[in-house]
Amino acid sequence: MNTIIEGKDIIVRIRGKELLNVKKVELKKGEIFAVIGPNGAGKSTLLKVMALLQMPQQGEIYFKGEKINRKERIRIRRKMAVVFQEPLFLNDTVVENIALGLRIRGIKHREAMERAKYWLERFKVEKLSNRWARALSGGEAQRVSLARAFAFEPEVLFLDEPFSNLDVFIRESLKADFFEVLKTTGITTFFITHDLEEVMLFANRVMVLMGGKVAQEGSPQELLENPTTDELKRYIQAWERFKFKMLHMV
Ligand SMILES: Nc1ncnc2c1ncn2[C@@H]1O[C@H](COP(=O)(O)OP(=O)(O)OP(=O)(O)O)[C@@H](O)[C@H]1O
């Protein structure tokens, strides 16, 4: 597989505190790469560095083998889309929120509107096209955010826990629709989650971050069967316990 984005010797510090220290992180073409780890482990920081939203204090980022400097960041960033936990919308309708983003990227009005409508349909929210984006419910807003991200036709999609603020029913139906779309498009994806089930079902590879460092990396199966540190074992056990409790509550 070809590498699309690679980070080498990445160090991020804030006010002297080291938040991230990752020797190598690679995202390969067409893969779904998951990042998990406890709160504060540095997952979002790593996403921002890989998506070129934040420059590390040390280290390099390569996009298809090309080293990225500050100046080139904006050009390369246009090949990427990011979906955060909290959708960010302009004060406009749903369809305009998507189309405007496309027009900024140089796409003509008609094509932008067509693409926006197509992706709203794929995410089953075409009926919301003319609604005010800022007045949507959490689940609707996240569907629109995902439609917007796919409408960009990015080479790489970044997701920072896009389902975590939704209630369980909305989350399950959106997750199913999202991963169905993802499978059919084959877009290279970097996603952060706390949900090991998502990792097991959808990821090709998983990285575990702890205290800003890589605790383990490999296939989801390897992680479950052979967690390499005690901390990781506890993390997996805690998740298993949580899952067990949830199953017995329903
Ligand atoms: N701008 C900032 N200023 C100071 N500290 C920060 C800043 N951004 C992040 N941090 C700290 O860096 C650490 C890593 O944060 P980050 O958001 O990357 O972790 P995370 O693994 O995504 O956490 P979570 O699962 O809670 O979202 C945390 O301790 C956080 O408080």
Side-chain angles (χ1 to χ4, degrees):
M1 253 194 237
N2 300 329
T3 298
I4 294 206
I5 306 178
E6 185 175 1
K8 276 187 191 161
D9 301 316
I10 303 295
I11 295 186
V12 174
R13 285 188 212 96
I14 288 190
R15 290 186 281 280
K17 187 182 162 216
E18 195 174 276
L19 307 185
L20 200 63
N21 186 339
V22 172
K23 279 217 154 335
K24 184 171 159 126
V25 49
E26 234 184 333
L27 194 56
K28 293 176 184 165
K29 191 170 165 52
E31 78 173 340
I32 301 178
F33 182 76
V35 180
I36 60 169
N39 289 126
K43 303 178 297 294
S44 301
T45 307
L46 179 64
L47 180 144
K48 286 184 208 145
V49 169
M50 295 289 275
L52 307 177
L53 296 169
Q54 178 174 343
M55 288 299 272
Q57 270 70 32
Q58 275 179 48
E60 291 115 39
I61 302 289
Y62 295 83
F63 186 83
K64 293 182 177 167
E66 178 191 359
K67 187 170 159 182
I68 306 305
N69 58 35
R70 266 176 205 279
K71 274 192 191 155
E72 279 161 346
R73 273 202 304 165
I74 293 173
R75 177 175 64 84
I76 304 290
R77 222 158 51 195
R78 295 201 160 175
K79 299 174 193 285
M80 306 172 179
V82 187
V83 177
F84 291 105
Q85 230 173 70
E86 293 290 341
L88 284 172
F89 291 124
L90 301 170
N91 211 6
D92 212 328
T93 62
V94 161
V95 71
E96 279 300 337
N97 260 275
I98 300 179
L100 189 67
L102 294 171
R103 294 211 293 278
I104 290 167
R105 292 183 181 207
I107 291 158
K108 297 224 165 67
H109 178 77
R110 202 171 142 187
E111 194 194 332
M113 291 300 276
E114 272 169 17
R115 264 209 229 171
K117 284 181 184 151
Y118 172 79
W119 284 104
L120 286 168
E121 238 171 75
R122 292 279 312 252
F123 279 96
K124 304 178 178 167
V125 279
E126 68 277 18
K127 287 202 185 103
L128 303 176
S129 294
N130 296 316
R131 287 262 301 272
W132 221 241
R134 288 190 177 167
L136 299 174
S137 72
E140 292 166 343
Q142 211 48 307
R143 281 184 181 268
V144 172
S145 274
L146 288 162
R148 179 171 58 186
F150 279 91
F152 286 141
E153 294 178 0
E155 284 191 52
V156 187
L157 179 65
F158 289 92
L159 305 155
D160 193 344
E161 296 187 61
F163 312 118
S164 63
N165 281 348
L166 308 175
D167 74 57
V168 65
F169 299 108
I170 300 277
R171 185 167 65 222
E172 289 310 310
S173 91
L174 177 51
K175 249 164 62 174
D177 291 342
F178 165 71
F179 283 107
E180 179 58 35
V181 171
L182 194 57
K183 250 192 344 213
T184 57
T185 55
I187 294 178
T188 308
T189 303
F190 178 110
F191 82 99
I192 296 177
T193 181
H194 279 111
D195 184 348
L196 278 179
E197 192 174 281
E198 283 173 23
V199 175
M200 297 305 149
L201 288 175
F202 307 111
N204 307 111
R205 245 172 2 112
V206 56
M207 170 184 273
V208 188
L209 271 186
M210 286 195 176
K213 297 200 168 96
V214 179
Q216 189 164 350
E217 195 184 330
S219 72
Q221 209 54 36
E222 277 164 9
L223 177 79
L224 258 202
E225 284 169 5
N226 186 24
T228 53
T229 64
D230 287 345
E231 207 176 359
L232 202 48
K233 272 181 211 152
R234 282 198 298 275
Y235 183 66
I236 289 175
Q237 279 161 4
W239 183 76
E240 296 283 359
R241 276 199 303 276
F242 171 73
K243 202 173 62 167
F244 184 81
K245 254 193 210 162
M246 293 302 284
L247 275 174
H248 290 263
M249 270 167 63
V250 177

